[in-house]
Amino acid sequence: CSEFLQRLVTLKCDHDGKTVGNAIFPNDPNNQADRFGNRCRSTLRDLVDDFKKTLKELNQLLKTDAPEKAFEISKILACLKLIKARAMVYFDAKEMLGKLDGVLGVDSWKSVSIASTPAKAAARGAEYEPASWGQIAERVRKWVVEHFKPQPDMMVKIKISSDRVQFFQLIGRKAAAAESLVKLEEVLGSDGDVGAVLKGDYQAKVTGALSTVWAELNKHVDALKNEQIDPAKFSDDAYSNKQDNDFQQTKARFDEVNRLYGAVSLYKEHIAGSMQGNDAEAMDLDTLSDVLLQRVVNMADKVEKLGTDLDGVSGMLMCMHSQAEELLFQAADCKKVVASALEKFQSAEATKAMGISKLAVKLRHARMRPAGEAVVRGYDAFQGYLTQVFNQKTQSQDINYVLQNIKLDANQFNSSTAGSNYAEFDKEYKQRVDELLTGGLTETQLVSMIKNIVAGLHISHAPGCVMWTVDMKRAMPKLVALVFAVWTLHHSKRFLKAMDSTDKKAFLFMPHPVQVVAIFALLGMDSTREGLERSLVQVRTGEGKSAVLGVTASVFALFQCRVYCACYSEYLSQRDGASMEFLFKALGILEDVKYMTLSQVCEYEVNKQVNIREELEALITGSGGGGGAANVKSSGPRKPRVLLVDEVDVFFSKDFYGSAYVPACALRHSSISDLIREIYKTGIPLTMATVKTWTTYSNVTSVLKGWDFLVDAAVEELLQCMETFAEDVIENEYIVKDDKIGYKEQDSIAFNISYGYTTLLAYLKENQKGNISEHSLARNLKFNVRCGSFSYAKLPRDFDLVMGVTGTLETMSEEERRIVKEEYDIKKLVYMPSVYGHNQVQTRRITAARNKDEFVKTLVEEIETHRKNRAAIVFFDSSMELRDFSKQPQFEHGNDASYLLEEIYPEEKDQIVKIRAAQIDAITLATKPFGRGTDFQCMDDTVQQHGGIHIIQTFVAETLSEEIQIKGRTARQGEKGSWSMVLMQSEVTERYGIPGPELDGILSGGESDESRKALWGLLNKKRLEVCETELQEMVKEVVLNAKVHEAALKFTESLMKGDVDPIKKHLEAQIRSAAAGPGMQGKARIMVLLDATGSMGRMMDAAKDTVGLMFDRAGEIIKEHLGDATEQFEMQFAVYRNYSSGPGKLLEASAWKSDPAALRQFLGSTKCSGGQGNEAVEIAFWHANQEQDVKQIVIIADAMGNTPAEVEQKRRGIGERQFAGTRFEVKTTVDKELALLKEKKIPVDAFHLVANSNLKRYYDQITEATGGTNQYLNVQKPEGRELFIGHITTAILQHVGGEGKGADLVGAYMRKFGGGKMHS
């Protein structure tokens, strides 16, 4: 048949015989022969497609970027066998197709054989086009030799813990694959290198590498075990810890032990299970650890024998603590030994009279620093001494200093009242402390005195308000003094017994006047009138905010209020709550004081009357519940509820104010799990109609009888997520850890965050790769039912009283102050002076580099200049930027620097923060979440003498308060420090719209103070403008969220009553607003394409902030003129970057949605990153061509698209293999994709964000070709955002109304809201 067909085609092509040719392949579509020709071509195309799919699978199997999906030898072998068997037919078929296309004419192949979906489209062709089977085999041979010939280097230094884990996972996969490697011989042959590798023993190489590590580890351990430390050397006046070569060499040896111990541990965890004859069992790490611990125990015995030889004792303690600092695997055990040695020193008869303070002074002597300082700061035994130092350092900032420097916003501070209140407090506090010291008063008696005062006030709160009488205020100084006495006693118990009575008071942990007056301000003590005014108080970072909040919360709780202390950070919230728990327990108020994050407070509020998730799940599954009085929580008589907010400025960030809290009910059942698994296994394309024919679907609807609409909505949304979920993504947005999937949040990984079915698909994917257990997967195979949206902005209004403490109150904008005063009725803003007086941070440099090379050069120079005899900490906007800089050849300290990222292990974070970051000559690269709340500890007086820690900021902070927080990582508690900022000019010009000539004019001033101040002033001015604009948009969002917030509250009431009909209506409304997906005819589909490279952060925020307003306005107009706004339109956001971001981040897209909350969630989870000159506009247009029924495209960009040559160059730069087997393996160009859009008659509108003539001309040409328009957009200005909102909204209205009513709807919008644009 093939020969016959070939002869026929050749006859037509060679002789152009019209009569004969038309007889064989006539053009008449009704002619059977013509259909026969097309059928032949279609069959050959299917054959080519199948071969290419197998080739694509092979390409993917050869990728080793992620160790979890690499080295599947059995699958590689199956692909190779199939490819080899079909190779000849494939090459013949390709040749035949070329001839048939010449005869029949070229048609739209994709519509003949492949469905129009991204996944199937990618299967049509592969970038890798081999000319023969031999080329394919040779490629696999090289792959085998590359990965299995070398012995793995387990001694390699990898600084970042998460990277180390991945490295050993990769070796584990290779070791597991090694047994099957020889099977490849039958298809690859056994010649040359590949034969030796196939027959060689990779596992033996792994074992050899491990043996090297084990031997080296034991060598270091033996050296440490046999090390002799002579205490006498520490008594030499010439001794210097910094110059002690033996001490420094031992620290270096600890570092090696830590690394090698970790290597063996990771081998056991990730490789040993794949090895034949597991040698790892003989490598007893526990015994080795015991040997090292015994070293510390032996030194502790020496300490005890040294007695009053403080030099010797200090030296031995330094050596012991050094091991505790460096060896992370036994740090806790080492510290226990050191702490025990210190307790013995305090209690021994020979040293008891000497006191711990004399030892502390010796340890802090210049000869012993920095190791001695680390000992003093590391153990409770020295807490009293450190308290004495603190008291001495701050004693000059007495009550008179506080009263003279305290400030109020608008109101006059009554210093006379505050002074008399403090005098009364001070008298009572000192009296009770004296009694505590002499044994005349116990904690029990103190608490009894407190409760007697409260009982005598006869407090009785009226519903909805807080009783605050003059008598309560009069009792306050004495009450606060007694509470602080309990606080002091607790913090002093550990060391008071070891102190001489004459010394004790100096060592007490006492409140500073700044803290006391701040508490009085919150409690309304500056006024003698009845009542309590809502207040915000500024207490600077690191100056006792925790105590201020804790004692204030205690007073409110004693006065029969329920108190919620809310913070943005879970880590800080847990830390502060734990530090004050002793006080709440002692006062009997533990149940009335809760420390939570803002999200947790919202969660608590939502569920305060009924657990809506559990109740809804029980109602839907029929497992109980159903509302009614029996299910409503009862907590007795209602107490007034007080909200104390820590770091109020964070509340006004885009993560909270203007956003909504969206709880979801999880529906779990074995039938649901079975259905999800079948959907995932089947893959796309898959329709709802097909799923409904399955038995697994029927099983679910039988279990959830009467709730079919929820099942259908869940399946639809899962299918949509599968369409946009990138299986080929390189996972850097989520973290797989401890059998869970987490997301970066502030300075840690949060495992309670979920992005709906996207997270579920990630669990399925990681389970397939072996990273998630079946047990963990089963817990996450669930349907999600959105319960509603609760506005964060409404949260404070539900409390009877709102107070707050922050370190950056001065930076609040006028609009934020207005909101605080008008919406939350917080009238009093108080600014406390610093406990330490004037802050000593020095600004060294602010500059902007013209390009990346200059940026790297300038940043390296800045690091080198300021790390010498000091320590440099560099903050980056993201981990991607941090990693990119660390790999630059100009930065020669990649192996020496510390890396502070969200994904590293907690013990490693602590080691960097408390030990490494502030060491002399240290370099630390950190991401910006660590710029808030992280207390870097400097132990070395040399660092302080040379200017302290130097902070380098490589990005413009979004708010002034964020910048102040980053600066606050240095010059803490009265110490020295400095700060500089090294930026890229592109960030400044693109992010803030600053014209290049204006920036050049400022930078021409060089490093002068005037130039530095001018640049910072300009940046801050633009930043404030942007922040004001964003806040105005958030205010609009608050108004919009109010409607859905009220609906969510009504839903909660219905749930409490068990009223099923309103519940179903609410859930159906939630589904209608989120409804989307293919096949929904008649909807207006608007696609917004967003450049998501590093310079586009403000635009991404603008889109997130305004999408709700677009939907609300469009819905309002549609409802007024068409009667029903539901299911009339939907939108998709697709973000694109450049090839340097890799296939996983090159393009991301939301599902098609009619729900702004879902789109906001997508935009909120999308990070702007990367950038490489011209951007991948061609990929954005390619994506648009894959989607169905798109009516309008709007592209927003600050760069042109790649030229065809740039596409080739940039893909080669990252490696073409990165794209093989992904949806982007076929190259494309802007012109090609634009021609398809033009053919489909889809108009493209453009917004260019940089006022550049070339950029304008480029997008003019694109929009003119498709019948769209191009405009300049400045989203930093209110009118720019209004233009953006109006343009998208009128596009929706134009397409909803169509030719008949579109113009009327747009006109109605313009009359009501102004702006917008007429869309043809």
Side-chain angles (χ1 to χ4, degrees):
C1 179
S2 174
E3 291 175 0
F4 170 70
L5 185 59
Q6 189 165 4
R7 284 197 298 274
L8 293 179
V9 173
T10 303
L11 178 65
K12 166 93 178 193
C13 294
D14 292 349
H15 302 289
D16 194 26
K18 293 183 180 179
T19 305
V20 177
N22 285 335
I24 300 170
F25 294 113
N27 293 321
D28 181 359
N30 297 315
N31 189 290
Q32 290 295 320
D34 192 18
R35 290 206 293 272
F36 170 73
N38 273 312
R39 286 202 302 275
C40 288
R41 183 163 64 171
S42 179
T43 301
L44 289 173
R45 285 173 173 175
D46 286 344
L47 188 153
V48 169
D49 278 339
D50 287 342
F51 185 87
K52 286 189 173 182
K53 287 175 190 175
T54 308
L55 191 59
K56 172 187 172 183
E57 184 180 354
L58 177 65
N59 290 337
Q60 189 130 5
L61 288 167
L62 296 180
K63 290 174 64 177
T64 57
D65 312 76
E68 305 85 1
K69 59 185 179 185
F71 308 110
E72 298 273 6
I73 300 299
S74 59
K75 292 182 180 179
I76 291 172
L77 179 61
C79 284
L80 282 172
K81 285 182 175 179
L82 203 57
I83 289 169
K84 186 175 183 179
R86 297 182 179 181
M88 189 173 294
V89 177
Y90 165 72
F91 293 116
D92 283 348
K94 279 185 66 178
E95 183 181 354
M96 287 297 305
L97 278 172
K99 294 179 178 180
L100 278 170
D101 286 343
V103 173
L104 296 174
V106 178
D107 62 358
S108 180
W109 185 351
K110 63 184 176 185
S111 63
V112 173
S113 58
I114 304 291
S116 181
T117 68
K120 292 296 181 182
R124 281 199 298 274
E127 180 63 33
Y128 175 58
E129 289 281 1
S132 66
W133 155 251
Q135 285 187 0
I136 300 170
E138 184 58 28
R139 184 180 180 200
V140 180
R141 287 191 192 100
K142 288 180 178 177
W143 178 85
V144 169
V145 172
E146 176 189 351
H147 290 287
F148 291 92
K149 185 178 180 179
Q151 178 172 305
D153 182 10
M154 294 188 193
M155 300 280 287
V156 65
K157 291 184 179 181
I158 304 174
K159 295 290 288 186
I160 301 171
S161 54
S162 54
D163 292 353
R164 288 197 297 273
V165 171
Q166 190 177 64
F167 175 78
F168 279 87
Q169 284 177 338
L170 189 66
I171 297 176
R173 294 288 289 185
K174 286 185 186 181
E179 291 183 74
S180 306
L181 205 59
V182 71
K183 295 178 182 178
L184 295 177
E185 188 176 2
E186 62 180 287
V187 287
L188 297 179
S190 57
D191 299 334
D193 277 355
V194 72
V197 173
L198 293 175
K199 294 174 181 176
D201 192 348
Y202 181 78
Q203 290 201 358
K205 295 175 183 175
V206 174
T207 301
L210 179 65
S211 297
T212 303
V213 171
W214 182 249
E216 191 71 11
L217 176 58
N218 277 278
K219 183 182 81 174
H220 287 299
V221 171
D222 288 342
L224 289 168
K225 180 177 69 173
N226 298 323
E227 183 182 23
Q228 298 298 317
I229 302 172
D230 182 8
K233 76 173 183 178
F234 302 109
S235 300
D236 189 338
D237 289 342
Y239 174 79
S240 169
N241 180 243
K242 297 185 188 73
Q243 306 301 323
D244 186 344
N245 291 330
D246 291 338
F247 188 89
Q248 302 307 327
Q249 286 174 9
T250 299
K251 283 192 69 172
R253 198 180 291 279
F254 283 144
D255 190 47
E256 284 295 289
V257 168
N258 211 44
R259 183 171 63 84
L260 297 170
Y261 185 99
V264 177
S265 180
L266 288 170
Y267 174 90
K268 286 173 174 274
E269 183 177 357
H270 298 290
I271 302 175
S274 305
M275 300 289 288
Q276 292 179 341
N278 188 359
D279 292 339
E281 292 181 3
M283 298 178 181
D284 190 347
L285 289 176
D286 289 339
T287 299
L288 187 145
S289 181
D290 290 343
V291 169
L292 290 169
L293 187 62
Q294 186 61 43
R295 177 179 181 271
V296 184
V297 172
N298 293 340
M299 284 190 279
D301 292 340
K302 284 188 179 181
V303 168
E304 192 171 0
K305 293 173 183 175
L306 286 167
T308 58
D309 178 6
L310 292 186
D311 287 309
V313 169
S314 297
M316 299 310 294
L317 287 171
M318 285 154 48
C319 294
M320 295 164 69
H321 182 65
S322 177
Q323 182 167 330
E325 282 186 330
E326 299 295 334
L327 299 186
L328 296 179
F329 57 87
Q330 60 170 207
D333 292 333
C334 286
K335 286 181 178 178
K336 285 179 183 177
V337 176
V338 180
S340 175
L342 286 168
E343 286 179 13
K344 290 179 181 179
F345 178 89
Q346 287 178 286
S347 59
E349 288 299 324
T351 53
K352 188 175 183 181
M354 183 180 294
I356 196 73
S357 61
K358 289 185 175 63
L359 177 60
V361 170
K362 181 65 71 174
L363 282 162
R364 298 190 88 192
H365 192 278
R367 294 190 307 113
M368 303 295 183
R369 287 176 182 258
E373 180 73 14
V375 175
V376 173
R377 295 202 197 183
Y379 298 92
D380 286 346
F382 297 104
Q383 186 60 58
Y385 168 78
L386 291 175
T387 302
Q388 178 198 32
V389 173
F390 170 84
N391 292 340
Q392 289 173 347
K393 187 185 289 188
T394 60
Q395 64 185 358
S396 62
Q397 283 77 48
D398 58 9
I399 184 61
N400 292 324
Y401 159 83
V402 174
L403 297 179
Q404 289 169 11
N405 290 278
I406 192 171
K407 298 177 184 177
L408 266 73
D409 196 26
N411 298 326
Q412 185 67 34
F413 182 70
N414 192 330
S415 58
S416 174
T417 302
S420 60
N421 284 331
Y422 182 82
E424 186 180 349
F425 160 88
D426 193 48
K427 179 182 177 182
E428 180 72 19
Y429 174 76
K430 288 178 178 176
Q431 178 185 339
R432 300 309 173 190
V433 167
D434 285 341
E435 292 173 356
L436 287 169
L437 293 176
T438 57
L441 188 65
T442 65
E443 182 180 293
T444 302
Q445 290 171 318
L446 267 177
V447 172
S448 178
M449 293 168 67
I450 291 169
K451 292 187 175 180
N452 287 338
I453 290 174
V454 173
L457 295 171
H458 306 293
I459 297 170
S460 178
H461 301 287
C465 66
V466 179
M467 173 183 172
W468 214 255
T469 65
V470 173
D471 287 340
M472 291 167 71
K473 288 187 176 184
R474 286 177 183 152
M476 208 77 72
K478 185 175 181 179
L479 182 67
V480 173
L482 293 173
V483 171
F484 261 123
V486 176
W487 180 77
T488 296
L489 177 62
H490 171 81
H491 284 292
S492 307
K493 280 179 181 177
R494 297 187 296 272
F495 53 85
L496 276 177
K497 290 181 181 179
M499 299 284 181
D500 182 80
S501 60
T502 57
D503 294 328
K504 286 182 178 180
K505 191 172 290 188
F507 292 87
L508 289 177
F509 207 67
M510 298 185 293
H512 191 274
V514 166
Q515 294 171 306
V516 177
V517 176
I519 293 168
F520 284 171
L522 287 167
L523 298 175
M525 295 294 293
D526 55 322
S527 169
T528 56
R529 298 193 304 273
E530 188 170 297
L532 180 59
E533 201 171 28
R534 296 183 172 202
S535 306
L536 295 181
V537 177
Q538 174 176 284
V539 177
R540 297 182 188 276
T541 302
E543 298 192 5
K545 281 204 298 349
S546 301
V548 171
L549 278 170
V551 173
T552 302
S554 298
V555 173
F556 278 119
L558 287 167
F559 285 174
Q560 299 175 27
C561 296
R562 184 151 287 153
V563 188
Y564 303 83
C565 297
C567 179
Y568 68 94
S569 164
E570 185 170 11
Y571 165 74
L572 295 176
S573 180
Q574 290 177 349
R575 183 197 70 183
D576 291 347
S579 71
M580 299 303 296
E581 186 174 332
F582 77 91
L583 182 62
F584 306 144
K585 282 183 177 178
L587 299 176
I589 55 174
L590 184 61
E591 292 304 311
D592 285 324
V593 183
K594 306 294 181 186
Y595 276 72
M596 301 176 174
T597 64
L598 288 165
S599 296
Q600 289 168 342
V601 172
C602 199
E603 170 77 9
Y604 192 86
E605 280 297 290
V606 166
N607 294 284
K608 66 187 176 189
Q609 293 180 296
V610 63
N611 189 312
I612 60 174
R613 290 187 183 88
E614 293 179 3
E615 196 66 23
L616 183 59
E617 181 182 9
L619 181 66
I620 293 171
T621 59
S623 58
N631 298 303
V632 178
K633 296 178 182 178
S634 176
S635 57
R638 183 185 180 281
K639 294 182 176 181
R641 298 181 318 121
V642 178
L643 178 65
L644 295 179
V645 184
D646 187 5
E647 299 294 1
V648 178
D649 58 297
V650 179
F651 180 74
F652 288 103
S653 69
K654 56 194 174 188
D655 293 330
F656 296 104
Y657 189 79
S659 295
Y661 184 73
V662 186
C665 163
L667 300 180
R668 294 183 178 89
H669 192 271
S670 58
S671 62
I672 293 174
S673 176
D674 292 341
L675 177 57
I676 292 172
R677 289 177 189 270
E678 185 170 1
I679 289 171
Y680 185 71
K681 183 179 178 181
T682 304
I684 53 174
L686 183 61
T687 65
M688 187 70 210
T690 301
V691 173
K692 283 189 171 184
T693 65
W694 295 350
T695 303
T696 48
Y697 172 84
S698 302
N699 291 341
V700 174
T701 53
S702 296
V703 171
L704 305 182
K705 195 170 293 182
W707 301 88
D708 299 37
F709 68 96
L710 292 180
V711 179
D712 292 352
V715 172
E716 285 280 14
E717 190 169 353
L718 177 56
L719 293 177
Q720 292 157 27
C721 284
M722 288 176 67
E723 287 279 356
T724 56
F725 183 76
E727 284 287 344
D728 53 298
V729 68
I730 301 171
E731 298 82 359
N732 60 358
E733 288 303 310
Y734 65 78
I735 303 293
V736 182
K737 191 175 181 183
D738 300 328
D739 207 20
K740 291 178 286 188
I741 285 176
Y743 296 87
K744 294 178 183 179
E745 185 180 53
Q746 300 297 332
D747 56 358
S748 59
I749 305 299
F751 295 99
N752 60 343
I753 295 176
S754 172
Y755 292 102
Y757 294 107
T758 300
T759 301
L760 184 148
L761 291 172
Y763 268 98
L764 285 160
K765 175 182 174 181
E766 296 299 331
N767 171 258
Q768 276 192 342
K769 296 186 327 190
N771 297 329
I772 289 291
S773 71
E774 190 61 30
H775 173 75
S776 178
L777 175 64
R779 280 289 303 161
N780 288 279
L781 292 180
K782 60 192 178 185
F783 284 162
N784 299 311
V785 180
R786 286 179 57 199
C787 301
S789 297
F790 297 85
S791 171
Y792 277 112
K794 291 281 187 180
L795 176 66
R797 300 176 191 175
D798 293 335
F799 287 83
D800 300 304
L801 188 64
V802 180
M803 299 285 190
V805 180
T806 183
T808 52
L809 189 59
E810 290 171 327
T811 66
M812 284 181 65
S813 68
E814 288 303 317
E815 180 65 11
E816 288 172 336
R817 291 169 192 271
R818 183 198 65 77
I819 292 169
V820 161
K821 292 178 179 179
E822 295 181 10
E823 297 188 21
Y824 300 119
D825 197 32
I826 299 175
K827 303 298 186 185
K828 188 172 66 176
L829 308 183
V830 183
Y831 308 88
M832 301 305 301
S834 172
V835 168
Y836 300 98
H838 178 67
N839 184 271
Q840 297 189 60
V841 67
Q842 301 290 317
T843 300
R844 296 296 185 196
R845 186 182 197 181
I846 302 175
T847 188
R850 292 178 178 81
N851 51 52
K852 184 175 180 179
D853 288 342
E854 186 179 315
F855 169 78
V856 172
K857 180 175 178 290
T858 305
L859 184 52
V860 169
E861 288 174 355
E862 187 71 7
I863 292 170
E864 291 294 346
T865 300
H866 291 287
R867 84 178 183 98
K868 189 174 181 181
N869 293 318
R870 300 177 64 189
I873 303 175
V874 189
F875 285 98
F876 293 86
D877 197 30
S878 69
S879 59
M880 183 181 294
E881 292 172 6
L882 182 154
R883 288 175 180 271
D884 179 66
F885 173 75
S886 71
K887 295 172 184 175
Q888 298 300 316
Q890 301 96 311
F891 181 60
E892 299 175 351
H893 302 285
N895 288 329
D896 303 322
S898 296
Y899 296 86
L900 198 53
L901 300 102
E902 298 91 324
E903 60 261 35
I904 67 174
Y905 291 107
E907 58 271 19
E908 194 167 354
K909 286 180 191 174
D910 284 345
Q911 187 186 54
I912 293 171
V913 171
K914 295 178 180 178
I915 303 165
R916 301 207 185 285
Q919 286 180 344
I920 189 169
D921 295 337
I923 301 171
T924 303
L925 309 184
T927 49
K928 70 177 180 182
F930 294 96
R932 185 186 283 269
T934 307
D935 188 7
F936 295 102
Q937 297 183 12
C938 180
M939 311 291 184
D940 197 332
D941 56 335
T942 303
V943 173
Q944 274 300 301
Q945 289 165 10
H946 286 83
I949 298 171
H950 182 66
I951 300 294
I952 307 172
Q953 188 176 320
T954 63
F955 59 96
V956 180
E958 292 187 5
T959 63
L960 180 56
S961 65
E962 182 185 13
E963 183 176 295
I964 290 173
Q965 289 284 353
I966 292 171
K967 278 186 180 180
R969 298 316 97 205
T970 187
R972 295 172 70 81
Q973 300 186 356
E975 294 180 338
K976 296 176 182 178
S978 56
W979 168 86
S980 63
M981 192 154 57
V982 178
L983 309 171
M984 285 274 285
Q985 283 193 27
S986 57
E987 178 190 7
V988 176
T989 55
E990 295 169 9
R991 193 171 188 179
Y992 292 109
I994 299 173
E998 183 178 359
L999 186 60
D1000 289 338
I1002 293 174
L1003 294 173
S1004 65
E1007 301 295 324
S1008 66
D1009 285 348
E1010 292 76 13
S1011 176
R1012 186 185 69 212
K1013 291 176 181 177
L1015 179 55
W1016 186 87
L1018 179 62
L1019 289 173
N1020 193 48
K1021 176 186 174 186
K1022 295 292 184 180
R1023 172 168 56 196
L1024 291 175
E1025 290 174 0
V1026 170
C1027 289
E1028 284 296 306
T1029 301
E1030 290 179 346
L1031 187 57
Q1032 288 170 17
E1033 297 300 336
M1034 284 194 283
V1035 169
K1036 294 175 184 176
E1037 284 293 316
V1038 169
V1039 175
L1040 296 179
N1041 287 340
K1043 300 176 184 178
V1044 292
H1045 181 85
E1046 290 303 318
L1049 291 178
K1050 289 179 181 178
F1051 162 74
T1052 305
E1053 292 175 7
S1054 300
L1055 201 56
M1056 289 167 58
K1057 297 174 184 176
D1059 200 345
V1060 177
D1061 286 342
I1063 292 171
K1064 284 190 173 182
K1065 286 179 181 177
H1066 173 80
L1067 296 178
E1068 286 172 343
Q1070 294 280 304
I1071 292 166
R1072 277 200 307 273
S1073 69
M1080 305 187 79
Q1081 300 297 321
K1083 280 198 173 190
R1085 280 189 152 191
I1086 311 298
M1087 176 182 286
V1088 180
L1089 303 174
L1090 266 171
D1091 177 350
T1093 52
S1095 59
M1096 294 290 288
R1098 293 294 181 189
M1099 185 62 235
M1100 195 69 67
D1101 292 341
K1104 176 175 175 282
D1105 294 342
T1106 57
V1107 64
L1109 205 56
M1110 296 172 192
F1111 276 71
D1112 191 66
R1113 288 183 180 181
E1116 193 173 327
I1117 297 295
I1118 293 168
K1119 192 169 185 179
E1120 288 175 2
H1121 294 266
L1122 300 182
D1124 185 10
T1126 60
E1127 300 187 12
Q1128 294 284 332
F1129 63 91
E1130 55 191 18
M1131 189 184 294
Q1132 181 187 84
F1133 280 96
V1135 301
Y1136 64 94
R1137 297 181 180 86
N1138 217 331
Y1139 298 100
S1140 58
S1141 295
K1145 289 296 167 189
L1146 182 54
L1147 183 132
E1148 297 175 278
S1150 72
W1152 285 101
K1153 288 291 182 182
S1154 296
D1155 173 23
L1159 294 172
R1160 272 200 305 267
Q1161 185 183 54
F1162 167 78
L1163 292 169
S1165 65
T1166 302
K1167 311 297 181 188
C1168 289
S1169 60
Q1172 199 180 10
N1174 289 342
E1175 311 294 1
V1177 174
E1178 65 278 2
I1179 292 296
F1181 287 160
W1182 168 85
H1183 169 73
N1185 278 314
Q1186 308 307 306
E1187 296 296 314
Q1188 301 174 24
D1189 304 322
V1190 179
K1191 303 296 184 186
Q1192 176 85 43
I1193 295 170
V1194 179
I1195 184 168
I1196 304 161
D1198 65 356
M1200 295 183 278
N1202 290 310
T1203 65
E1206 286 173 330
V1207 171
E1208 294 281 351
Q1209 172 205 341
K1210 291 176 181 180
R1211 288 172 67 107
R1212 279 200 307 270
I1214 188 176
E1216 195 61 57
R1217 286 174 60 188
Q1218 293 279 339
F1219 300 97
T1222 75
R1223 53 191 171 148
F1224 306 117
E1225 65 183 351
V1226 180
K1227 299 188 190 85
T1228 191
T1229 65
V1230 170
D1231 289 343
K1232 178 181 175 182
E1233 300 300 335
L1234 199 58
L1236 289 172
L1237 292 174
K1238 185 177 179 180
E1239 183 182 318
K1240 295 176 182 179
K1241 298 181 180 178
I1242 302 175
V1244 178
D1245 288 343
F1247 284 114
H1248 59 279
L1249 303 187
V1250 179
N1252 177 287
S1253 59
N1254 290 332
L1255 188 65
K1256 179 182 184 302
R1257 192 179 306 114
Y1258 180 82
Y1259 284 103
D1260 280 344
Q1261 291 171 354
I1262 286 176
T1263 54
E1264 286 169 7
T1266 59
T1269 61
N1270 173 36
Q1271 301 176 74
Y1272 170 69
L1273 179 66
N1274 184 351
V1275 292
Q1276 295 159 38
K1277 294 185 178 295
E1279 56 268 28
R1281 292 198 172 204
E1282 192 60 41
L1283 171 65
F1284 176 58
I1285 295 167
H1287 190 97
I1288 302 293
T1289 310
T1290 52
I1292 292 169
L1293 296 172
Q1294 180 71 55
H1295 291 291
V1296 167
E1299 291 184 8
K1301 296 184 178 180
D1304 293 341
L1305 294 179
V1306 172
Y1309 175 91
M1310 295 177 74
R1311 287 190 296 274
K1312 188 162 192 173
F1313 299 106
K1317 170 207 165 188
M1318 292 295 291
H1319 297 262
S1320 57

